Amino acid sequence: MTLEPIAELQARFGQQGAISFAERLGGLVALLDWGGAQSVVALQGAQVLSYEAAGYGEVLWLSPEARLGTGKAVRGGIPICWPWFGPHPQGGDGPAHGFVRTRPWRVVSAHADENGTRLTLAPDGPPAHPAWPHTAELSLEIVLGTSLTLSLSTRNTGASPFALTQALHSYFLVQDISAAEVDGLQHVVFIDQLDPGALKSESGLVRIAGEVDRIYQDVIRPITIIDGSDRRIVIQSHGSASAVVWNPWIEKAARLGDMGEGGYRRLVCVETANAGADVITLAPGARHTLTAIIAALGR
Ligand code: BG6
């Protein structure tokens, strides 16, 4: 399948002052506007690259080295990890975090009204991979309103159940990681991915002073990022019992090689997920929707 050029997308889905299409970072993007808020969404991977909240500025971190169309996942924004989170679940030959974040997606619908600007995307062609012997329908609905809401919906179109893990891998922009704190995860047990097999918890706010890679289990509260600036970022979720907190710190950032100079200091990933023990089993015909609602608010 070939993707529609900008003019056709504009004619079919564009709406004055709300939805337009352009080329950015070497690929096609949708530009969403609503009530002073703006968002940029790449059709590659249905990846939100930017979310400017009205009055609070940019909420997401995006690598200065980000380029679309290289075959590699773009570092930053909100990549979609699907249908597995992390390495292939059976140790198979599939890419980390699944296979849809580098694929082309197409616009299914777009609509703007007094509640928000809404864009729905789906993979351009069935979301299939040799290392994943299942069939599914997948879509992402993005609503830009007083917050940014992402709903990733999976329906099992096959004849047998399958296990699904996934994440809306949000990279949040902070002033400086040394001042950043994550509230809402106190006493929540996490799998420490840097200490395999270890289950831990903390009584205080999460502070980051080194590499952190944790899958929090049974998360029930909204999670808030505070960074010493005059705003906080609040993340609510539905269809998710787990959240991943990740910062690569110095050595891993150097190994990854695509974060820019000192990039790790400006971000904390707080990912709305079905990961760790939070595995969704989808029966034939069943649907699961993973939703993240991201808002910037005053302190
Ligand atoms: C996080 C994982 O979600 O994503 C980390 O917990 C991983 O282990 C990170 O390093 C980045 O992954 P990738 O594949 O985008 O480099």
Side-chain angles (χ1 to χ4, degrees):
M1 266 183 241
T2 48
L3 288 169
E4 289 168 276
I6 292 173
E8 272 173 48
L9 283 168
Q10 195 68 32
R12 285 187 66 194
F13 302 109
Q15 284 190 44
Q16 185 74 34
I19 302 159
S20 60
F21 297 87
E23 195 185 322
R24 292 271 172 89
L25 305 175
L28 260 179
V29 298
L31 306 171
L32 311 183
D33 281 87
W34 188 85
Q38 291 178 323
S39 183
V40 180
V41 183
L43 296 200
Q44 175 185 304
Q47 186 162 347
V48 175
L49 300 177
S50 161
Y51 167 37
E52 281 187 49
Y56 292 106
E58 181 60 62
V59 171
L60 301 174
W61 178 86
L62 180 67
S63 171
E65 297 178 14
R67 290 293 295 164
L68 295 163
T70 65
K72 261 193 74 187
V74 166
R75 179 77 56 199
I78 313 182
I80 291 176
C81 307
W82 185 98
W84 60 82
F85 174 83
H88 185 277
Q90 284 84 40
D93 194 15
H97 290 330
F99 51 85
V100 296
R101 59 180 176 161
T102 50
R103 295 267 173 98
W105 289 51
R106 66 190 163 80
V107 179
V108 175
S109 64
H111 176 76
D113 61 25
E114 68 280 9
N115 299 315
T117 295
R118 190 177 298 261
L119 178 74
T120 303
L121 302 171
D124 194 30
H129 189 279
W132 195 66
H134 308 288
T135 58
E137 258 169 34
L138 177 66
S139 66
L140 179 72
E141 184 192 65
I142 299 163
V143 184
L144 178 69
T146 52
S147 53
L148 179 74
T149 302
L150 269 64
S151 299
L152 184 65
S153 192
T154 306
R155 194 170 78 86
N156 182 352
T157 54
S160 47
F162 64 78
L164 173 68
T165 57
Q166 56 185 347
L168 298 163
H169 191 315
S170 324
Y171 287 76
F172 292 105
L173 179 67
V174 295
Q175 262 195 341
D176 190 277
I177 194 67
S178 61
E181 295 173 319
V182 182
D183 187 14
L185 296 169
Q186 295 89 321
H187 305 291
V188 178
V189 172
F190 63 85
I191 300 167
D192 189 345
Q193 303 224 80
L194 304 176
D195 185 3
L199 292 175
K200 302 177 182 174
S201 69
E202 285 177 351
S203 56
L205 304 184
V206 180
R207 294 192 180 84
I208 295 170
E211 186 180 351
V212 167
D213 193 347
R214 302 174 174 180
I215 305 175
Y216 283 86
Q217 303 287 289
D218 301 314
V219 175
I220 44 170
R221 286 176 286 188
I223 301 174
T224 303
I225 301 169
I226 310 154
D227 71 348
S229 70
D230 57 1
R231 72 165 191 205
R232 66 207 146 98
I233 299 166
V234 181
I235 306 133
Q236 311 218 53
S237 59
H238 301 295
S240 162
S242 52
V244 178
V245 176
W246 179 65
N247 183 295
W249 210 249
I250 300 167
E251 281 166 24
K252 183 157 178 178
R255 279 203 303 280
L256 292 172
D258 58 1
M259 306 202 83
E261 184 67 31
Y264 74 96
R265 297 204 68 88
R266 300 299 315 278
L267 70 91
V268 58
C269 286
V270 176
E271 310 169 33
T272 299
N274 297 118
D278 179 19
V279 177
I280 303 297
T281 301
L282 268 190
R287 178 185 295 281
H288 176 75
T289 302
L290 173 69
T291 300
I293 304 161
I294 297 165
L297 301 170
R299 283 208 68 178

